[in-house]
Structure formats: C-alpha cells, structure tokens
Amino acid sequence: MFWIGTFSQGFYLYNEQTRIFSQPTIQGFPKQPILALEENSDHTLLAGIDGQGIWELDRKNQTVLNIYKEDINNSFSLRGDGVYDIFNNENNRVWVATYTGGLSFFEQDTPLVDHITHEINNPNSLGNYDYPHDVR
C-alpha cells in the first residue's frame, strides 16, 4: 500500500495488487499541503503538513496517534508548523526541517524536541540565508 500526500485533498492510498486508488477517512486530518512523508515504524507514518506540524498516523487503522506542533509556552515543542521535510534515522531519531523554525530533532521515546540554531561567530553553525539568491 502506497500513501500519497496531496496539496489539498489529504491522502490517497494506492494498492499495488488491485491497482486501485482509495481515499482514507482520517478524522480531523487537515486538508492542507502534505509536504513530507516518512515511515516511522512498521505500522506508523509521519506526515509533515504545511502550517499543521507533524501528524503521526497508524497506517493499519488509519487513525491519528500523535500531533507535534509548535507551542510557544513549551521550549521543547516543535519550532514552526510549516514542516517541509522529515527524516527518521537508523537510531529512531526524527529530524524535522520547518519553514520558520529551522532544524529540529527528537527521539522516538520522548516528546522533547531539540533545536539546532545559528551560533553567532561560528562559521560551522547552521545558517539562515533568508535573502534572494542570484542564480544566473
């Protein structure tokens, strides 16, 4: 079964054996651009949604297990809800790139999110190149 994220219609599932597309009904799932999909385990999927953070889904039951969003009162929450990329490494650390919050990561067994930010006067730190690029 392939999960396909859309710009405004949620998900579609494609069954390779039957060659049929179907659209699951996931209660409360936003109809906003799904910009990133990452398998989280044998039965879960992380969906990065523009403006809605990360939604952890149970693929078998097609239900929401968890939602990671920015909480301005919690410094260990996701920084920025415009999720553009997700990567789950071999140690089950989830790396998240957001439009306004830069790069963050969290371990699978804890909800605490760490952030990687620019360090002033450190040329090896993460930069924020928020300026127009000349691509001639």
Side-chain angles (χ1 to χ4, degrees):
M1 195 69 79
F2 285 108
W3 287 71
I4 302 166
T6 69
F7 190 75
S8 63
Q9 297 298 314
F11 284 108
Y12 281 91
L13 301 176
Y14 178 69
N15 186 318
E16 291 177 274
Q17 296 170 340
T18 63
R19 296 184 177 185
I20 294 176
F21 284 95
S22 61
Q23 190 171 27
T25 303
I26 301 173
Q27 187 173 6
F29 196 82
K31 300 286 187 185
Q32 287 174 253
I34 299 171
L35 302 177
L37 291 174
E38 180 73 12
E39 288 184 342
N40 195 27
S41 71
D42 290 341
H43 68 282
T44 62
L45 178 76
L46 297 174
I49 304 169
D50 193 15
Q52 294 293 326
I54 299 172
W55 291 54
E56 183 178 14
L57 306 171
D58 182 313
R59 291 185 291 178
K60 182 179 179 186
N61 297 321
Q62 299 178 4
T63 57
V64 177
L65 299 174
N66 201 354
I67 301 171
Y68 299 92
K69 294 185 86 170
E70 182 173 34
D71 177 353
I72 60 172
N73 296 315
N74 180 356
S75 62
F76 293 106
S77 70
L78 189 64
R79 197 172 282 170
D81 287 333
V83 176
Y84 277 51
D85 202 5
I86 303 170
F87 175 71
N88 186 16
N89 71 13
E90 65 275 358
N91 298 322
N92 282 332
R93 177 176 282 178
V94 177
W95 294 86
V96 182
T98 65
Y99 183 73
T100 58
L103 186 62
S104 301
F105 65 92
F106 61 92
E107 308 295 335
Q108 292 293 303
D109 56 355
T110 177
L112 303 177
V113 178
D114 289 309
H115 311 284
I116 298 176
T117 58
H118 176 68
E119 296 174 20
I120 297 173
N121 297 324
N122 180 351
N124 295 318
S125 76
L126 183 67
N128 182 8
Y129 301 108
D130 192 17
Y131 58 85
H133 297 281
D134 187 2
V135 289
R136 289 185 213 170

